[in-house]
Amino acid sequence: MAATDGRNRKPGLAGSRVRGGLGNAQGGAGPGMKLGRAVLGLLPLAPLVVQAVEPISLGLALAGVLTGCIYPRLYCLFTECCGQKRSLSREVLQKDLDSKLFGQHLAKKVILNGVSGFISNPKPKKPLTLSLHGWTGTGKNFVSKIIAENIYEGGLNSDYVHLFVATLHFPHASNVTLYKDQLQLWIRGNVSACARSIFIFDEMDKMHAGLIDAIKPFLDYYDNLDGVSYQKAIFIFLSNAGAERITDVALEFWRSGKQREEIQLRDMEHALSVSAFNNKNSGFWHSSLIDRNLIDYFVPFLPLEYKHLKMCIRVEMQSRGYEVDEDIVTRVAEEMTFFPKEERVFSDKGCKTVYTKLDYYYDD
């Protein structure tokens, strides 16, 4: 039996790992990736694995096998290991959300309670599945980054965090069947390597209808599928679908003189799930993930106001090592555009472009 350190191995190529993109239009490997053959027999009942092969010298390969097999603790001093994941601290996660995410009281509460509760549960009944909805620039990608960083030191760069972008990894409708097969192999291989794998699917509103249903079995209430348990994995979906409904609710509260913090999850969670399910331009269109209630939380990200943009600008200044100059903060915020046209309440790009606008004022 081949030696293993918890990663997926290919005979004679120690150091190979499951990473990279999915197939291209011709069904071959995507940029920077080799689509390896299915691997059987590495371990008892080993799953099929889609592999990206990274060349490695024979000496390093032998050292990696011996170190990983005989001295696993020593091996993990030099490379990331699944068992090395940090213990998630609820207090640290809350501090990160409070200091980095603005104007999103609903998202903060759901993420804090949902993620910390899931991680602290030694025997979850199913994977944690989050669907984040809202306009561009409201913080969806940022929250995914915060979650990853609080679970793995490498954050989004960790070997156990996997990002899929619909327009990059699944570009052609004619290849949906191929994508489904590759996606199932990819997830199974990575969860086999590390039960606490994180999968992030960006641009769900641009994904081909029916494709995401390929992972439905992995999100369901099964102890294991063919010997692999997915119950400790985390799936995060990011989408602009439902943003109109979120904005309508936020605008209704603003016009009635209520504080946005009075908005409750129940005010829009059901509407979000219905909107995503019935939207023909959404990857969730008539999806069994919604129909079977496999998404644990539909998380609304509210449109940002003028005061939230200023918060984003201050944090960016501090991250660059600058003193906060309130004059520049105001000038950058006032350059942004807002909607509705008459009331100008919400930023149409959120905080997405405020960072680049700072470059105009700092030319060093």
Side-chain angles (χ1 to χ4, degrees), residues 21-199:
L22 295 179
N24 61 14
Q26 287 71 42
M33 171 198 173
K34 297 179 183 177
L35 189 61
R37 62 179 175 84
V39 178
L40 291 172
L42 300 186
L43 292 173
L45 298 178
L48 293 172
V49 179
V50 177
Q51 293 187 323
V53 179
E54 296 178 355
I56 187 168
S57 71
L58 181 60
L60 288 176
L62 181 60
V65 171
L66 292 177
T67 306
C69 184
I70 303 174
Y71 302 108
R73 291 185 180 178
L74 178 61
Y75 178 82
C76 292
L77 291 177
F78 299 96
T79 188
E80 184 183 36
C81 294
C82 178
Q84 225 178 4
K85 58 184 178 295
R86 59 173 64 178
S87 298
L88 184 139
S89 165
R90 180 184 174 92
E91 292 72 25
V92 172
L93 177 58
Q94 180 165 16
K95 183 178 179 182
D96 279 350
L97 291 170
D98 288 341
S99 62
K100 300 174 182 178
L101 184 66
F102 307 118
Q104 304 297 353
H105 68 285
L106 293 175
K108 284 182 182 179
K109 183 176 181 179
V110 174
I111 298 302
L112 179 63
N113 293 336
V115 174
S116 60
F118 178 77
I119 295 295
S120 64
N121 184 354
K123 294 183 178 180
K125 295 186 181 297
K126 67 178 293 295
L128 177 64
T129 310
L130 306 170
S131 189
L132 315 185
H133 297 259
W135 292 121
T136 298
T138 52
K140 302 185 300 296
N141 292 87
F142 204 51
V143 161
S144 301
K145 181 174 181 287
I146 290 173
I147 292 172
E149 289 174 347
N150 275 266
I151 296 177
Y152 289 107
E153 187 172 351
L156 294 177
N157 293 319
S158 168
D159 283 350
Y160 309 112
V161 178
H162 311 280
L163 173 64
F164 299 92
V165 181
T167 53
L168 174 64
H169 296 112
F170 316 110
H172 304 287
S174 59
N175 278 1
V176 166
T177 300
L178 171 67
Y179 296 150
K180 285 182 177 181
D181 292 341
Q182 291 181 339
L183 189 56
Q184 287 182 337
L185 291 174
W186 190 268
I187 291 176
R188 181 173 179 175
N190 280 289
V191 174
S192 298
C194 183
R196 185 73 77 196
S197 291
I198 301 174
F199 301 94

Side-chain angles (χ1 to χ4, degrees), residues 279-296:
N279 186 344
K280 290 186 177 182
N281 295 319
S282 168
F284 283 128
W285 184 66
H286 287 190
S287 171
S288 61
L289 273 61
I290 297 177
D291 196 35
R292 293 290 301 274
N293 299 309
L294 298 180
I295 296 178
D296 299 303

